[in-house]
Amino acid sequence: MATKSQHAPNYEPLRALLRALREEAGLTQRDVGTRLGKPQSWVHNCEVGNRRVDVAEFVAWATACGVEPTTALTRFLEKTKIKSARKRTASE
C-alpha cells in the first residue's frame, strides 16, 4: 500500500495530466522548469509522483504549458470521474 498520497492510485490521473500538458505543448521537462523557475528534476519529481503538486503549482504548470488552468482542471475532473465510475461498476 502507498504510504504517501501522491503514490496512491487515485493520484495517477494528475501525474499523467501534468506530463500530457507538457508533451502536448511540445515542451521538455527542462522547458517547463525554466518557465516555472524550477530545476528539471523538480518537474520530473512532480510527473512521477515523488513530489506532490499543490493548487498554485498546478495553475502555474498549466499556464506554463499554454493551457487555461480551468481547462486543465476540467480535464483532470473528467478523468477522475471516468475512473470513479469504473470502480463503482466493477464493485457492483
Side-chain angles (χ1 to χ4, degrees):
M1 177 179 237
T3 58
K4 295 200 176 212
S5 59
Q6 69 266 28
H7 296 292
N10 62 354
Y11 197 79
E12 171 55 30
L14 181 60
R15 297 190 325 250
L17 177 60
L18 293 174
R19 183 175 182 174
L21 292 173
R22 176 181 60 77
E23 290 178 343
E24 289 166 7
L27 300 171
T28 64
Q29 290 180 343
R30 187 174 310 274
D31 295 333
V32 172
T34 299
R35 291 178 182 200
L36 297 176
K38 305 282 186 183
Q40 172 274 328
S41 59
W42 183 90
V43 175
H44 169 78
N45 285 327
C46 292
E47 289 184 356
V48 299
N50 291 335
R51 185 184 185 290
R52 193 166 176 83
V53 176
D54 69 27
V55 174
E57 292 166 339
F58 178 82
V59 168
W61 187 295
T63 302
C65 294
V67 177
E68 284 292 320
T70 53
T71 301
L73 181 58
T74 298
R75 283 179 63 180
F76 172 73
L77 293 173
E78 288 171 353
K79 285 187 178 228
T80 58
K81 284 180 188 174
I82 291 168
K83 288 191 177 231
S84 295
R86 285 182 187 154
K87 285 182 183 177
R88 279 195 308 271
T89 303
S91 65
E92 290 175 354

